[in-house]
Amino acid sequence: MANQNFLPDQYDRTDALEINHNYLPEQFADYEEILAKVGEVVRKGDFTLGRAVDQFERDFAEVVGVKHAIGVGSGTDALFLSLKALGIGEGDEVITTPFTFYATIGAIVTAGARPVFVDVLDDFNINPDNIEAAITPKTKAILPVHWSGKPCRMDDILAIANKHGLKVVEDSCHGIQAKYKGKGAGSFGDFGAFSMHPLKNLNVWGDGGLAVTNSDEMAEKMRLMRNHGLIDRNRCAMFAYNSRLDTIQAVVASHLLQKIDHITESRIVNSLYFDSQLAGVSGITIPERDTDEVKQVFHIYSLRYERRDELQAYLEERGVDAKVHYPIPMHLQPGAAEWGYKPGDFPVAEACCATTMSLPVHEFVNRDQQDKVIELIKEFYR
Amino acid sequence: MSTDRVAFVNLPLRIRDYEDELVDAFRKVLRSGAYIMGPEVAEFENALKGYCGVDHVLGVANGTDGLIIALRALNIGAGDEVITAPNSFIASAGAIQMTGAEVRFADVGPDYNLDPAKLEAAITERTKAIMPVHLTGRPAPMDEINEIAKRHGLYVIEDAAQAIGAKYKGRPVGSLGDIASFSLHPLKNLQVFGDAGFLSTPCKHLYERMSGLRNHGLVDRNTSSEWGLNSRLDTIQAALGLVQLKRLDAWTEGFRSVAAQYREGLKDVVSVPEELNHEYSVYHNFVVLADRRDELMQYLDNKGIDTKIHYPILLHRQPAAKHLKLPEGSFPVAEDQVQRMVSLPIYPELEDSEIKRVIAEIRNFYSA
């Protein structure tokens, strides 16, 4: 597909390759059942915050284990609306990780605040031990990212937040069905943000997302903020945004929510198989899995590889769609220049960016394909 | 229609005759897997350029986001002021406030649009932009507004959410300011099947900046030049929009034809909207000023005719605007209109018999 809009690499479907990251044509090979339900929405004219949205929100809240889920336009919107709902804005600081997708930082900046970065651990997640040193009088919130679907050390993060009176917004865009000590990722903080971008584990046919919370008050505020602050057809309690999950996308999401156990399980099985076969290969570092404490859902399956760029090219030439999520940390992006960070500030994140590579582990990857990938990687390092 | 009621809107009726074409377009995107920024988005953007009379069109998630992105692209934010009309939909003021800027209002004229004569009094040293709203699909007096903007060094952002296809002195709305934002909400004249919108601008530089802002600030696959939003027009909605757009000219004719019949049939009993020689209105709403408005609405409701008020609470009187401390009496023209205004059903699919019924019942009400 012509990619004139500079979407991340992940989106390009490379039909010449045999093992792809993009599985949408397989996933939606049979879309007629969903399309029929979409047709009902259209014929009723129930496009905006329709019944399917309500139903999906209730079902999604149950999956995460929270009181409220509120459908919004995207995961990015879920993040910045959460920050705004918590009163975070101009002049405030939000502590987060430099090893993330642009949206995490875009959401903080859109809210009017500025991100303050803290380095990550070898598992790509923010290092709780370094958070306190980054707190200033301006700090209002911690925004941990459950990178790749592995939950952060939420006990430690919540303890710090409580001690310093900070809000917590979880970027759980990768983390549907992930668990930390038995509780759903996204359910720990004041808000959790989820994405249903087409390539997320739970996906729709366009942009969509959810904010979740256990607070009745915050849920009500979020519902206002996503819909112009309207308390009824004509009265506006607060000036706000338009960021609604489309009814037709809620129909798609509801359909896939029935399959989420299978989707998640496939990713875990495929990932752990790669782990087992690649363990011990010289040149590869597998992050700590902490399987006692966490359920990691592998939205992205990333290891760290020596001679990463060479390996990626080697695999691509042989039909394997290996990707890099992502090569440049946020503190070294042009947009971060005004904050004065420099190379070397966050050595672990920088090392991760230089060495990380992702292999497809979605439910349409089969064991033969995995064995082929494993053989190629072993061959490369021989 | 299955019932006798004259409905205020009826989108399912509009698409009935070409549902298959829509479904085919939908299926094509589904098969492609390109649900984000697929080729149909650029195709739709290109097709819209002619309607906006500019070289640059950019799909976004909705019309409100369009306004926010436009303001951000013009570096308008905290400490700045933007002037708009107090009788618009909430999003006009909401978008301004959400950038951190402060909304300022100026009163409107008999056309429901910003009155240039009232505009200068609202300008302060903090004012950065004027945001005229082409309310009801009637173009605002853009020559006068642009002249004032130029004199004070202000940007002009057209809120064209209701006005696709409208023209001012032969030029399409969307080409009359620095940036214009359009809505494709299901209830608009040109609509898709969820939230969507687009921006138009004659300026390549602004277009490029807004392209980044709607998509995480990405300038290439791995570099973000500035932190942005995620506000993309879904490929599916663009594909459906392409099917809809083919019919827009015919629909616009339909809206105008209903308006002409209402105007002719009602001009001596209520105050009907004018259409000046240099204006080409698209009648997203047909708003009349009526004596005993509430009684009239009740009467029409009893007769099976749906009406609405766009919008019954002026922006400066909303609970959200309390901090602006603008009492009743701040904008006398808008405040007078809002007491008397009522919107009649208007859409291309209205049958002549229904239009005649609406006219007859209003006349009955006033002759009783």
Side-chain angles (χ1 to χ4, degrees), chain A residues 133-370:
Chain A
I135 295 174
T136 76
K138 291 179 172 176
T139 308
K140 288 284 165 15
I142 307 172
L143 199 162
V145 180
H146 304 307
W147 186 254
S148 77
K150 182 184 182 190
C152 296
R153 279 165 42 194
M154 290 311 296
D155 280 355
D156 296 339
I157 291 169
L158 290 175
I160 295 164
N162 284 336
K163 184 175 158 196
H164 294 271
L166 305 177
K167 303 291 184 190
V168 174
V169 175
E170 297 171 72
D171 182 341
S172 200
C173 287
H174 294 173
I176 287 167
Q177 283 204 318
K179 287 196 162 67
Y180 174 76
K181 296 188 177 173
K183 280 182 66 185
S187 71
F188 293 88
D190 296 279
F191 276 109
F194 290 86
S195 165
M196 297 194 291
H197 178 280
L199 290 180
K200 291 300 193 293
N201 293 15
L202 178 69
N203 52 351
V204 295
W205 290 344
D207 277 310
L210 299 113
V212 304
T213 181
N214 283 310
S215 156
D216 296 346
E217 187 200 340
M218 282 298 117
E220 197 188 322
K221 198 165 177 193
M222 180 63 72
R223 287 185 193 282
L224 283 176
M225 290 190 67
R226 72 166 168 185
N227 190 26
H228 303 294
L230 286 168
I231 35 183
D232 56 36
R233 186 179 173 269
N234 296 316
R235 281 184 309 146
C236 169
M238 58 190 292
F239 289 123
Y241 297 86
N242 175 359
S243 179
R244 302 174 289 223
L245 175 65
D246 284 336
T247 309
I248 64 172
Q249 302 293 6
V251 167
V252 182
S254 280
H255 183 89
L256 287 170
L257 198 61
Q258 297 165 21
K259 305 183 176 185
I260 190 68
D261 288 342
H262 169 71
I263 292 168
T264 300
E265 193 54 30
S266 304
R267 285 180 177 269
I268 293 172
V269 167
N270 290 341
S271 299
L272 296 182
Y273 183 69
F274 270 139
D275 272 7
S276 70
Q277 300 302 304
L278 294 172
V281 174
S282 158
I284 300 179
T285 309
I286 300 176
E288 287 274 359
R289 294 300 181 209
D290 304 329
T291 41
D292 292 346
E293 293 211 323
V294 307
K295 179 183 174 192
Q296 179 174 359
V297 296
F298 298 100
H299 170 60
I300 293 171
Y301 178 77
S302 285
L303 307 181
R304 291 173 61 181
Y305 299 88
E306 288 174 17
R307 296 192 285 135
R308 188 263 321 268
D309 294 346
E310 268 177 75
L311 173 63
Q312 188 190 11
Y314 181 87
L315 291 175
E316 273 187 3
E317 278 164 26
R318 287 159 182 79
V320 180
D321 190 15
K323 300 285 189 201
V324 175
H325 303 99
Y326 290 92
I328 305 171
M330 292 301 117
H331 66 288
L332 300 180
Q333 291 284 345
E338 62 176 303
W339 302 316
Y341 292 108
K342 57 186 187 309
D345 283 346
F346 305 107
V348 183
E350 289 166 32
C352 287
C353 286
T355 58
T356 186
M357 190 187 73
S358 317
L359 299 170
V361 290
H362 52 78
E363 73 259 40
F364 300 98
V365 172
N366 61 44
R367 194 48 64 86
D368 289 345
Q369 291 175 313
Q370 286 197 281

Side-chain angles (χ1 to χ4, degrees), chain A residues 1-9 11-13 22 24-25 28 31-32 35 38-39 42-45 47-48 73-77 80 84 90 101-103 105-107 109-110 115 117 197-198 203-208 225 228-249 324 326-328 330-331 333-336 338-339, chain B residues 11-12 15 19 22-23 26-28 30-39 41-42 45 61-65 68 72 78 89-91 93-95 97-100 103 105 185-186 192-196 207 211 214-216 218-237 240 308-313 315 318-321 323-324:
Chain A
M1 163 192 126
N3 201 334
Q4 79 276 23
N5 288 300
F6 311 124
L7 285 156
D9 241 10
Y11 203 75
D12 252 0
R13 184 178 168 83
N22 184 340
L24 295 173
F28 295 114
Y31 47 70
E32 290 301 333
L35 204 50
V38 168
V42 172
R43 276 185 288 271
K44 283 185 199 138
F47 301 110
T48 306
S74 67
T76 312
D77 281 7
F80 94 79
K84 293 286 280 193
E90 212 66 42
F101 182 63
Y102 313 95
I105 313 308
V109 173
T110 297
F117 296 113
H197 178 280
N203 52 351
V204 295
W205 290 344
D207 277 310
M225 290 190 67
H228 303 294
L230 286 168
I231 35 183
D232 56 36
R233 186 179 173 269
N234 296 316
R235 281 184 309 146
C236 169
M238 58 190 292
F239 289 123
Y241 297 86
N242 175 359
S243 179
R244 302 174 289 223
L245 175 65
D246 284 336
T247 309
I248 64 172
Q249 302 293 6
V324 175
Y326 290 92
I328 305 171
M330 292 301 117
H331 66 288
Q333 291 284 345
E338 62 176 303
W339 302 316
Chain B
L11 184 54
I15 64 173
E19 239 187 71
L22 289 167
V23 175
F26 206 129
R27 285 201 180 98
K28 187 166 166 259
L30 290 183
R31 279 192 294 266
S32 78
Y35 305 156
I36 302 289
M37 294 296 198
V41 175
E45 289 169 345
N62 59 67
T64 312
D65 273 11
I68 291 173
R72 264 180 81 167
F89 181 62
I90 290 151
Q97 295 286 136
M98 290 309 99
T99 64
V103 64
F105 299 110
H185 180 278
V192 294
F193 300 87
D195 276 312
Y207 166 76
S211 300
R214 77 158 164 188
N215 190 22
H216 305 298
L218 290 169
V219 291
D220 65 37
R221 288 160 181 219
N222 293 312
T223 314
S224 170
S225 68
E226 69 174 318
W227 308 108
L229 307 161
N230 176 355
S231 181
R232 301 175 292 223
L233 172 63
D234 285 341
T235 311
I236 279 171
Q237 303 293 7
L240 298 172
K308 287 192 192 301
I309 302 171
H310 295 97
Y311 300 92
I313 305 175
L315 293 176
Q318 287 286 352
H323 67 288
L324 299 175

